[in-house]
Amino acid sequence: MGPRPSGSGLRQAADLGLGALVRGFAGPEAIAGMRAAYDAARAARTGERLVSTEINDHFSVLCPTIVLDDRERARVVGLMCLIQMGTVPQEACLETIRQWGEKVIPCFAGAWRSVRVRGSGGP
């Protein structure tokens, strides 16, 4: 998984006027803690260490996902959309693939059609 950003790393990014990109593998509570550290540092920023005239205060999280009908079970299994990684059971992977196909991908069907109409490619 790799190390989570330290509070000091997030504080430094905020102080320099840089956005933050963190991994959300440890779950929502860890993400909330990282966001709180970044926001607190932004609020305390004096502007003396900014690295650009353009400030980027964007906080992004890479959150792999599991899509299951049972929300609580999905949280217990973990957050993954690498579909299979670590200790994610095979049945959760298969259900995730089914859920993506039945519920997630169809939500983007209209957007994909509009891209094809504009001639941007696609099947």
Side-chain angles (χ1 to χ4, degrees):
M1 262 198 273
R4 286 195 328 217
S6 67
S8 63
L10 291 167
R11 284 191 299 274
Q12 181 178 16
D15 199 35
L16 296 173
L18 302 174
L21 175 62
V22 300
R23 291 185 283 173
F25 294 111
E29 294 80 15
I31 294 166
M34 290 183 276
R35 178 64 194 242
Y38 185 76
D39 288 345
R42 281 181 42 226
R45 180 172 56 211
T46 64
E48 296 171 2
R49 297 186 59 214
L50 295 175
V51 295
S52 173
T53 57
E54 297 295 322
I55 297 172
N56 177 0
D57 284 336
H58 189 76
F59 183 89
S60 294
V61 182
L62 299 175
C63 290
T65 58
I66 285 181
V67 182
L68 305 176
D69 284 327
D70 182 342
R71 179 179 188 259
E72 290 308 311
R73 181 165 174 261
R75 282 197 73 179
V76 169
V77 171
L79 301 170
M80 303 274 167
C81 192
L82 307 165
I83 308 239
Q84 170 52 348
M85 183 176 171
T87 60
V88 177
Q90 176 71 13
E91 70 273 2
C93 297
L94 294 175
E95 186 175 344
T96 297
I97 293 167
R98 182 183 61 76
Q99 295 275 357
W100 273 99
E102 292 177 2
K103 298 179 181 178
V104 178
I105 293 170
C107 293
F108 297 97
W112 180 248
R113 278 192 285 280
S114 70
V115 168
R116 288 180 57 203
V117 168
R118 288 194 311 261
S120 296

